[in-house]
């Protein structure tokens, strides 16, 4: 039914279960975590009554709680054949807990109605540069608090970047330039000597694309060289000339005014054709205005409806279960 590596004291992995107590007993639902185990000892998810059976089980690494649809066995005395239950309404208890009564009537099937979201809030994640792995134990660089839809941005020294999830099994390269929580609207500014453009210096502003595949904002030519990469909103550059152009005064560039935001594959804008000794980043003189918290975000749920009986009437479902074929004798030919 389920196999995974056991993590001691893991309070975030939550198991959602529906079981029948005994061969003809009532049905219960419960949520629990497993923080400790004794080797080679078996544990019962039910109350241990003979004939008990687990009808539904999910393991949720971040405490997700789904909505299930319960279809009961057809019975003329039943007014409602369907039940919908949200696991988020069930309190998380120990694995030996009895759980909440789901129904006293026989169940025909249980299906997933909609995927759930975490009921535990975000998970704090750290990156340990010594072992190049993520952890939840406060070792290394703190990356932030992550919810199920969040991702980690990894930028390498060669200009490659990609996104990953925040699974602690991930292993990362040695040449990491930046690793942080990905922000979709974050604008980056890069300065590079473009090997495809006679080695002239270019500056570009772009967004990191949401992709798990390695992409490179320096381009396809491996001879292009990065000078700097910054996420300052209003970055400033100081260009110092050299060689035959050493007598020219240094040039300051307000990058936000110098070039607009384009795709990461865009060439960018050439800084100068004169000989350059050094390009360095200056402290910004402009800063973005602090935005007031607009209150809670709109969490309107647009989950896909996974109901296998969507669009069917209760009678149609009963006919499918019982194998009956209903004929409409009153249908008129037009």
């Amino acid at each position: 039914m389920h196999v995974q590596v056991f993590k001691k004291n893991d309070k975030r992995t939550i198991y959602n279960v529906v079981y029948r107590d005994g061969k003809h007993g009532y049905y219960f639902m419960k949520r629990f975590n497993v923080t400790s185990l004794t080797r080679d000892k078996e544990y019962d998810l039910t109350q241990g009554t003979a004939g008990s059976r687990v009808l539904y089980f999910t393991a949720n690494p971040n405490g997700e709680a789904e909505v299930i649809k319960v279809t009961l066995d057809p019975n003329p005395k039943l007014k409602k054949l369907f039940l919908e239950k949200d696991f988020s309404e069930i309190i998380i208890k120990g694995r030996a807990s009895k759980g909440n009564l789901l129904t006293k009537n026989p169940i025909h099937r249980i299906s997933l109605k909609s995927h759930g979201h975490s009921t535990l809030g975000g998970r704090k994640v750290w990156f340990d540069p010594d072992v190049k792995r993520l952890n939840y134990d406060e070792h290394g660089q703190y990356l932030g608090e992550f919810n199920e839809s969040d991702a980690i941005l990894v930028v390498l020294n060669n200009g490659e970047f990609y996104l990953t999830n925040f699974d602690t099994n991930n292993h990362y390269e040695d040449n990491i330039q930046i690793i942080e929580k990905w922000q979709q609207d974050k604008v980056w500014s890069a300065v590079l000597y473009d090997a495809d453009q006679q080695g002239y210096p270019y500056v570009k502003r772009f967004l990191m694309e949401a992709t798990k595949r390695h992409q490179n904002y320096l381009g396809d030519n491996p001879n292009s060289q990065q000078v700097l990469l910054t996420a300052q909103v209003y970055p400033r550059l100081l260009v110092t000339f050299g060689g035959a152009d050493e007598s020219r005064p240094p040039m300051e560039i307000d990058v936000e005014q110098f070039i607009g935001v384009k795709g990461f594959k865009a060439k960018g804008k050439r800084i100068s054709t004169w000989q350059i000794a050094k390009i360095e980043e200056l402290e910004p003189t402009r800063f973005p205005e602090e935005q007031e918290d607009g209150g809670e975000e709109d969490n309107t749920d647009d989950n896909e409806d996974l109901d296998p009986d969507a669009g069917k009437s209760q009678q149609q479902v009963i006919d499918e279960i019982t194998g009956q074929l209903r004929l409409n004798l009153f249908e008129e030919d037009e």
Side-chain angles (χ1 to χ4, degrees):
M1 182 168 61
H2 176 71
V3 176
Q4 73 175 57
V5 177
F6 174 68
K7 299 178 182 179
K8 189 176 181 180
N9 297 321
D10 182 7
K11 296 183 178 180
R12 294 193 67 89
T13 300
I14 305 299
Y15 303 94
N16 300 338
V17 172
V18 175
Y19 71 92
R20 184 187 65 214
D21 182 32
K23 190 172 183 179
H24 302 289
Y26 297 160
Y27 296 81
F28 294 84
M29 61 189 301
K30 66 181 190 177
R31 305 184 73 206
F32 62 94
N33 53 31
V34 180
T35 57
S36 61
L37 288 173
T38 301
R39 185 184 297 272
D40 297 328
K41 180 180 178 180
E42 293 186 357
Y43 297 86
D44 203 327
L45 298 182
T46 70
Q47 300 176 49
T49 308
S52 295
R53 180 189 174 194
V54 175
L55 280 76
Y56 183 88
F57 177 94
T58 58
N60 306 280
N62 202 32
E64 293 83 358
E66 67 271 32
V67 177
I68 58 173
K69 179 178 180 179
V70 179
T71 304
L72 303 176
D73 280 343
N75 188 326
K77 296 180 180 180
L78 289 177
K79 294 182 179 180
K80 292 181 63 178
L81 187 67
F82 308 118
L83 300 175
E84 289 187 7
K85 296 297 293 185
D86 190 340
F87 270 103
S88 66
E89 299 172 356
I90 307 299
I91 298 175
I92 300 171
K93 297 182 179 179
R95 61 172 172 250
S97 64
K98 180 179 180 180
N100 293 19
L101 178 65
L102 175 59
T103 180
K104 298 180 180 180
N105 300 300
I107 292 178
H108 177 72
R109 67 170 177 237
I110 299 176
S111 54
L112 179 64
K113 171 71 174 177
S114 63
H115 292 292
H117 298 284
S118 174
T119 57
L120 303 178
R123 175 162 233 170
K124 294 182 178 179
V125 179
W126 285 260
F127 173 70
D128 190 336
D130 295 330
V131 297
K132 304 296 186 295
R133 288 186 180 274
L134 305 175
N135 67 87
Y136 311 137
D137 305 319
E138 303 184 16
H139 298 316
Q141 174 188 347
Y142 178 60
L143 300 183
E145 190 169 301
F146 288 73
N147 292 307
E148 56 186 310
S149 60
D150 291 329
I152 290 175
L153 170 67
V154 181
V155 183
L156 305 181
N157 289 329
N158 61 0
E160 292 185 358
F161 68 93
Y162 61 96
L163 300 186
T164 74
N165 56 23
F166 49 95
D167 193 316
T168 54
N169 293 321
N170 296 342
H171 189 74
Y172 298 94
E173 297 87 345
D174 294 328
N175 59 332
I176 290 180
Q177 179 181 180
I178 295 170
I179 182 168
E180 66 178 35
K181 185 176 181 179
W182 180 61
Q183 300 178 51
Q184 181 177 358
D185 299 324
K186 191 171 188 177
V187 177
W188 297 83
S189 300
V191 178
L192 67 145
Y193 289 106
D194 193 335
D196 289 333
Q197 303 294 326
Q198 303 177 43
Y200 284 125
Y202 279 72
V203 60
K204 59 196 299 184
R205 300 179 72 226
F206 57 94
L207 302 174
M208 297 285 189
E209 187 177 283
T211 175
K212 294 181 180 180
R213 183 166 56 92
H214 284 230
Q215 302 275 18
N216 197 313
Y217 58 83
L218 297 181
D220 297 328
N221 194 324
N223 295 320
S224 295
Q225 297 180 5
Q226 175 177 296
V227 178
L228 62 88
L229 175 70
T230 178
Q232 285 284 354
V233 179
Y234 301 110
R236 297 169 61 235
L237 302 177
L238 178 64
V239 181
T240 304
F241 298 100
D245 299 307
E246 185 178 5
S247 59
R248 294 183 180 277
M251 177 175 61
E252 291 189 10
I253 297 176
D254 186 321
V255 178
E256 191 267 340
Q257 295 181 351
F258 187 72
I259 185 173
V261 178
K262 300 180 180 180
F264 74 91
K265 294 183 179 180
K267 285 294 183 182
K269 188 174 182 179
R270 188 167 58 192
I271 293 176
S272 177
T273 56
W274 295 323
Q275 295 185 44
I276 292 177
K278 182 171 57 175
I279 301 175
E280 54 192 327
E281 184 179 4
L282 298 174
E283 290 293 326
T285 56
R286 295 187 294 149
F287 301 91
E289 297 181 0
E290 294 185 4
Q291 297 182 353
E292 296 183 1
D293 189 358
E296 297 184 358
E297 295 182 1
D298 182 11
N299 291 323
T300 303
D301 209 358
D302 56 352
N303 284 341
E304 178 185 4
D305 187 352
L306 303 175
D307 185 356
D309 300 319
K312 300 177 183 177
S313 68
Q314 178 168 304
Q315 187 59 54
Q316 287 176 313
V317 175
I318 292 175
D319 291 344
E320 288 181 0
I321 294 173
T322 58
Q324 299 295 319
L325 179 62
R326 182 171 295 271
L327 298 176
N328 185 357
L329 302 178
F330 299 99
E331 185 176 350
E332 296 181 0
D333 295 329
E334 293 184 2

